[in-house]
């Protein structure tokens, strides 16, 4: 039996929603359902206005059962199977985060066969030191997660994805790690990503979505010291 504090879940979600606002651009908070995926929780979050990130058929099924609109579901994850991509499209999911160019080509073929245009983001690697445990870093220069910005690979593949039929390139995604207690790591990554968006636009790519990932550290032990996330989000 797992018991959750619903009031705390609500207040935490609302603190993100209220703090991450801008008069310059649209913002969206997306809950990574791999953290905890069950119908009551996802239903609560969607009623509060959060979108949901899923990484498998099971998480997608659960989100749909919870009443999350397919337009508010982002299909993510490494090593997606063809049947997972097909399930996402058949379910009405309109945004998929691509992990690599092979996946982009497979999704293009599947989308063309189903005659549906899918919005895509590409996971890129800003090459930032996240100051966390080595096992949960995901954006160092030698990481297997995301295509490198600094070595030019990300731009090369974004150009190639832009040419694929039935895929609408919308933006980029980055995730630098988990259990991160340094807000500066996120600031550094954001600056690199914003500069990269400008580079993309200079190369004829219309990048309108920047997904900054997550990984904020939480309190596990007495040594852990989370920073003020709502203040940081502003």
């Amino acid at each position: 039996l797992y018991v959750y504090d619903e009031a705390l879940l609500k207040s935490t979600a609302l603190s993100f929603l209220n703090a991450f606002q801008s008069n310059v651009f649209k913002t969206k908070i997306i809950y990574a359902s791999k953290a905890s995926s069950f119908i009551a929780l996802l239903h609560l979050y969607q009623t509060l206005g959060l979108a949901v990130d899923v990484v498998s058929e099971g998480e997608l099924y659960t989100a749909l059962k919870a009443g999350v609109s397919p337009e508010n579901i982002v299909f993510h994850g490494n090593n997606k199977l063809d049947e997972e991509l097909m399930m996402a499209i058949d379910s009405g999911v309109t945004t998929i985060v691509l992990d690599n160019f092979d996946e982009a080509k497979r999704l293009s073929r599947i989308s063309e066969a189903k005659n549906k245009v899918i919005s895509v983001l590409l996971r890129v690697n800003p090459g930032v030191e996240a100051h966390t445990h080595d096992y949960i870093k995901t954006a160092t220069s030698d990481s297997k997660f995301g295509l490198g910005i600094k070595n030019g690979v990300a731009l090369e593949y974004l150009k190639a994805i832009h040419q694929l039929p039935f895929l609408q390139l919308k933006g980029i995604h980055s995730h630098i790690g988990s259990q991160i207690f340094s807000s500066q790591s996120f600031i550094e990554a954001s600056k690199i990503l914003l500069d990269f968006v400008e580079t993309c636009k200079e190369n004829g790519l219309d990048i309108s979505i920047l997904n900054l990932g997550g990984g904020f550290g939480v309190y596990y032990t007495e040594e852990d010291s989370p920073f003020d996330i709502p203040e940081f989000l502003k």
Side-chain angles (χ1 to χ4, degrees):
L1 171 67
Y2 291 88
V3 179
Y4 285 76
D5 184 339
E6 184 174 352
L8 180 58
L9 292 171
K10 282 184 177 180
S11 65
T12 302
L14 290 172
S15 72
F16 272 72
L17 288 165
N18 294 331
F20 198 58
Q21 297 284 344
S22 171
N23 294 324
V24 181
F25 45 79
K26 294 180 181 178
T27 59
K28 181 182 288 187
I29 298 294
I30 308 173
Y31 171 68
S33 64
K34 64 183 176 183
S36 187
S37 179
F38 56 93
I39 290 173
L41 180 64
L42 297 185
H43 177 72
L44 170 66
Y45 282 158
Q46 69 91 21
T47 59
L48 294 175
L50 275 70
V52 174
D53 174 294
V54 302
V55 300
S56 68
E57 290 175 291
E59 288 185 12
L60 175 56
Y61 176 85
T62 306
L64 293 170
K65 279 286 187 180
V68 181
S69 169
E71 292 80 16
N72 276 330
I73 296 175
V74 177
F75 202 105
H76 208 141
N78 311 116
N79 302 315
K80 301 180 194 69
L81 302 174
D82 282 359
E83 49 260 45
E84 290 179 311
L85 295 173
M86 286 188 278
M87 179 182 177
I89 294 173
D90 291 341
S91 300
V93 172
T94 56
T95 303
I96 293 178
V97 179
L98 299 169
D99 205 48
N100 52 60
F101 188 58
D102 173 71
E103 186 177 284
K105 290 186 290 186
R106 289 190 291 118
L107 179 61
S108 178
R109 290 196 298 268
I110 294 169
S111 301
E112 187 169 12
K114 294 181 177 294
N115 196 34
K116 290 186 178 180
V117 177
I118 299 296
S119 297
V120 296
L121 313 181
L122 179 66
R123 181 169 184 173
V124 300
N125 182 349
V128 169
E129 174 58 58
H131 303 293
T132 187
H133 193 284
D134 286 345
Y135 290 171
I136 48 179
K137 292 177 181 178
T138 58
T140 52
S141 294
D142 60 350
S143 172
K144 64 183 178 180
F145 298 106
L147 297 170
I149 290 176
K150 294 180 179 179
N151 60 10
V153 173
L155 181 60
E156 175 188 344
Y157 282 120
L158 282 168
K159 289 178 179 178
I161 292 168
H162 181 62
Q163 300 299 322
L164 291 174
F166 286 83
L167 299 188
Q168 190 170 28
L169 180 62
K170 287 286 191 178
I172 56 175
H173 160 77
S174 172
H175 184 270
I176 61 173
S178 299
Q179 197 61 354
I180 299 170
F181 294 106
S182 168
S183 61
Q184 191 56 40
S185 296
F186 292 107
I187 296 294
E188 184 181 346
S190 300
K191 289 179 178 178
I192 292 171
L193 292 167
L194 286 167
D195 286 343
F196 183 59
V197 168
E198 288 301 312
T199 299
C200 290
K201 291 182 176 181
E202 290 167 2
N203 281 268
L205 300 172
D206 184 18
I207 301 298
S208 59
I209 296 176
L210 177 56
N211 183 321
L212 293 169
F216 304 117
V218 296
Y219 183 83
Y220 276 118
T221 71
E222 291 182 0
E223 288 75 33
D224 293 337
S225 181
F227 56 87
D228 186 333
I229 294 175
E231 188 59 36
F232 162 78
L233 290 173
K234 293 176 184 177

